[in-house]
Amino acid sequence: MLNIKVKSFNELSRHELYYLLQLRSEVFVVEQDCIYQDIDGKDQKSLHVLGVKNDKIVAYTRIFKPGDYFELASIGRVVVAKNEREHMYGYDIMNASAEAIKTYFNETTIKISAQVYLLKFYNNLGFKETGEEYLEDNIPHIAMIKG
């Protein structure tokens, strides 16, 4: 079971920051073989939703209030460690992220930029496609909204 923590950038310990960046790099850069600038200057203005198991970050998102990334509240950098995906922690971290948006930002409409191969996963969470597919860091994405 995941222990969910929501923290601002300044509340993250050095170790938490290190391990969440390591997880993002493991999945988005190495596993997906995509060279891109993960550290994009947006971490400082987001809230970080950490999924912790046995004192290790195994799932993560970052959330934004309206206007800080998209016009709507948003969730990004959705990631689950490869060896933990069988537990369906993606659903847990996304549901916790939506709840955090409601709690911290008093918002229920959420926009994401989803990798197209995860369309069914996000549909199962109530997100609907909006617009056309586009390439982001050479990976097909689509905008999706829940609300």
Side-chain angles (χ1 to χ4, degrees):
M1 177 155 180
L2 282 183
N3 177 23
I4 302 292
K5 300 177 183 179
V6 180
K7 295 186 172 191
S8 70
F9 183 80
N10 290 332
E11 292 171 326
L12 292 169
S13 72
R14 288 188 312 258
H15 293 288
E16 288 169 328
L17 180 60
Y18 178 88
Y19 290 118
L20 75 85
L21 291 173
Q22 181 182 44
L23 178 60
R24 286 173 18 184
S25 180
E26 281 175 7
V27 174
F28 298 132
V29 178
V30 177
E31 181 183 328
Q32 294 184 352
D33 193 23
C34 181
I35 299 171
Y36 82 111
Q37 184 60 48
D38 177 49
I39 301 172
D40 59 1
K42 294 183 175 94
D43 288 314
Q44 294 89 329
K45 61 181 167 182
S46 65
L47 289 180
H48 302 268
V49 183
L50 313 173
V52 180
K53 178 181 175 183
N54 299 326
D55 295 321
K56 185 176 179 191
I57 297 171
V58 298
Y60 167 85
T61 70
R62 64 183 186 182
I63 61 174
F64 296 91
K65 67 183 179 195
D68 274 355
Y69 192 71
F70 294 122
E71 206 172 294
L72 300 170
S74 62
I75 302 171
R77 297 293 199 268
V78 180
V79 62
V80 176
K82 187 173 186 175
N83 62 335
E84 297 289 346
R85 293 182 191 149
E86 67 191 65
H87 304 294
M88 300 182 64
Y89 291 148
Y91 288 97
D92 296 334
I93 200 73
M94 282 298 293
N95 287 325
S97 299
E99 189 60 36
I101 286 174
K102 186 175 180 183
T103 300
Y104 289 91
F105 307 143
N106 196 30
E107 296 285 337
T108 56
T109 304
I110 302 167
K111 181 175 182 176
I112 62 173
S113 177
Q115 292 184 4
V116 170
Y117 85 95
L118 291 168
L119 196 60
K120 185 176 178 184
F121 166 72
Y122 290 117
N123 285 153
N124 289 340
L125 286 161
F127 286 89
K128 304 291 181 213
E129 303 90 312
T130 178
E132 301 295 319
E133 286 185 26
Y134 54 91
L135 285 180
E136 186 174 314
D137 300 313
N138 231 14
I139 296 173
H141 281 69
I142 192 161
M144 301 184 82
I145 294 179
K146 175 182 179 177

